[in-house]
Amino acid sequence: MKSINFLKNNGVDVDKSLELFGDINTYNETIGEFLVGIHNKINKLITFMQNQDMHNYSIYAHSMKSDAQNFGFTKLANIAKEHEEHSKIGDVYYVSNHINDLIKETNNAITLIQEYMHGEDTPTSLSQEQNNQENVYNKKTILVVDDSNIVRNFVKRIFSEEYNVGTASNGEEAINIIKANMNNDYIMTVLLDLNMPKVDGFAVLDFMQENNLFEKMPVSIISGDSSKETIDKAFTYRIIDMLSKPFNERSVKSVIDKTLAYKDLI
């Protein structure tokens, strides 16, 4: 890889990113996943724009915004934020007239990362690893459900020495994993994103409520949506706490420790 100054000199706020990742080695280990992620997401966004599917467009724009913020690509994050806000209100006109700006800045980020990595192989995406992962656990596990592989791997890095960290990239995967472990006591806690494509976090909460699983598998929420409506709706379920994006290692540990403590009490 090139010197980290290469990214800094090209406007990447690496110092801000290190508040999340902790050190440059972790940043370097996961930037390949960011590369894979934004490449896939921009293709999805183009498809959703063409189909005028503003609901899913807003979800992927939000995810791109969060990942770009995490890795210090501020300009890309700001453009994605604008697309998220306009697509949430169904503003197809804005999205269709400004998607080229998003595509251009995404391509700039991809080119920059590829040059920084200087031909290094990109890490295998977590979704590929997950295809080989057994759903039934045989040791104490923290289940992280988030459509961002960056978030999933970030939590895994923090807790992997103490717990097995299971992962799901959407609500459907999460429900399948939870079903597979309903007859054992190995899922110690669930850290659940609310805003995901396909099946969202509220569907997972509904499933857990219908099956009386909140004591067996205590849940805390991840959310990038701080609206009163979302927060009020989330706390109609028996969740322990809410973790707002963006977050750092300390806040993740605090929420997980609190949720695990609840499990120990019951």
Side-chain angles (χ1 to χ4, degrees):
M1 284 187 172
K2 293 186 176 232
S3 164
I4 196 65
N5 289 327
F6 171 78
L7 292 181
K8 291 182 179 181
N9 292 337
N10 281 279
V12 181
D13 192 352
V14 177
D15 292 333
K16 183 68 175 177
S17 295
L18 294 185
E19 294 176 11
L20 170 69
F21 291 101
D23 58 73
I24 195 62
N25 289 332
T26 304
Y27 182 92
N28 287 339
E29 287 169 3
T30 52
I31 196 169
E33 296 176 7
F34 174 55
L35 174 64
V36 171
I38 60 173
H39 183 271
N40 291 337
K41 284 167 188 171
I42 195 61
N43 290 331
K44 290 279 190 181
L45 286 166
I46 292 169
T47 299
F48 293 138
M49 184 272 295
Q50 291 170 339
N51 294 332
Q52 297 190 5
D53 181 354
M54 292 295 99
H55 173 71
N56 280 311
Y57 190 98
S58 67
I59 291 173
Y60 274 83
H62 171 82
S63 181
M64 179 175 280
K65 176 196 72 177
S66 297
D67 288 353
Q69 286 175 335
N70 289 340
F71 279 89
F73 286 78
T74 307
K75 185 175 180 180
L76 177 58
N78 289 339
I79 295 174
K81 180 182 178 182
E82 289 293 321
H83 278 256
E84 177 192 7
E85 292 175 350
H86 283 273
S87 57
K88 275 185 174 180
I89 61 173
D91 190 349
V92 177
Y93 178 82
Y94 178 92
V95 168
S96 60
N97 279 277
H98 291 84
I99 194 165
N100 284 340
D101 296 336
L102 184 60
I103 293 170
K104 180 180 178 181
E105 193 55 36
T106 302
N107 287 336
N108 288 342
I110 289 171
T111 300
L112 193 61
I113 295 166
Q114 288 174 334
E115 190 170 349
Y116 173 65
M117 296 176 70
H118 196 55
E120 293 284 336
D121 291 334
T122 57
T124 302
S125 66
L126 195 61
S127 59
Q128 291 171 321
E129 295 174 1
Q130 198 166 19
N131 289 333
N132 299 320
Q133 176 181 314
E134 292 292 336
N135 281 347
V136 180
Y137 301 130
N138 58 11
K139 52 187 174 182
K140 292 181 178 180
T141 298
I142 296 170
L143 177 59
V144 184
V145 186
D146 198 295
D147 61 316
S148 170
N149 54 357
I150 296 166
V151 171
R152 298 193 302 266
N153 278 4
F154 179 61
V155 178
K156 181 177 286 190
R157 180 180 66 82
I158 297 172
F159 290 98
S160 60
E161 293 185 4
E162 302 173 68
Y163 295 94
N164 178 51
V165 180
T167 59
S169 61
N170 59 61
E172 182 179 5
E173 289 180 10
I175 290 171
N176 289 336
I177 292 171
I178 291 167
K179 282 180 180 178
N181 291 276
M182 287 173 61
N183 295 322
N184 65 51
D185 290 314
Y186 289 118
I187 295 182
M188 306 301 292
T189 184
V190 180
L191 188 60
L192 176 66
D193 188 16
L194 292 178
N195 192 25
M196 296 180 291
K198 295 183 180 179
V199 178
D200 66 14
F202 285 110
V204 179
L205 292 173
D206 286 336
F207 175 82
M208 297 188 72
Q209 184 166 271
E210 290 164 3
N211 290 276
N212 299 313
L213 293 173
F214 284 114
E215 287 192 357
K216 186 180 184 68
M217 305 174 187
V219 178
S220 281
I221 295 300
I222 307 172
S223 180
D225 183 354
S226 59
S227 68
K228 184 177 185 299
E229 180 183 1
T230 297
I231 293 172
D232 288 348
K233 182 178 179 181
F235 278 97
T236 62
Y237 299 88
R238 294 178 58 190
I239 64 173
I240 306 302
D241 206 351
M242 176 174 283
L243 181 65
S244 297
K245 295 179 180 180
F247 46 75
N248 55 31
E249 182 170 337
R250 178 182 297 179
S251 59
V252 173
K253 282 186 65 67
S254 175
V255 167
I256 291 288
D257 288 345
K258 182 177 180 180
T259 315
L260 289 168
Y262 178 84
K263 174 74 171 178
D264 291 338
L265 289 173
I266 58 178

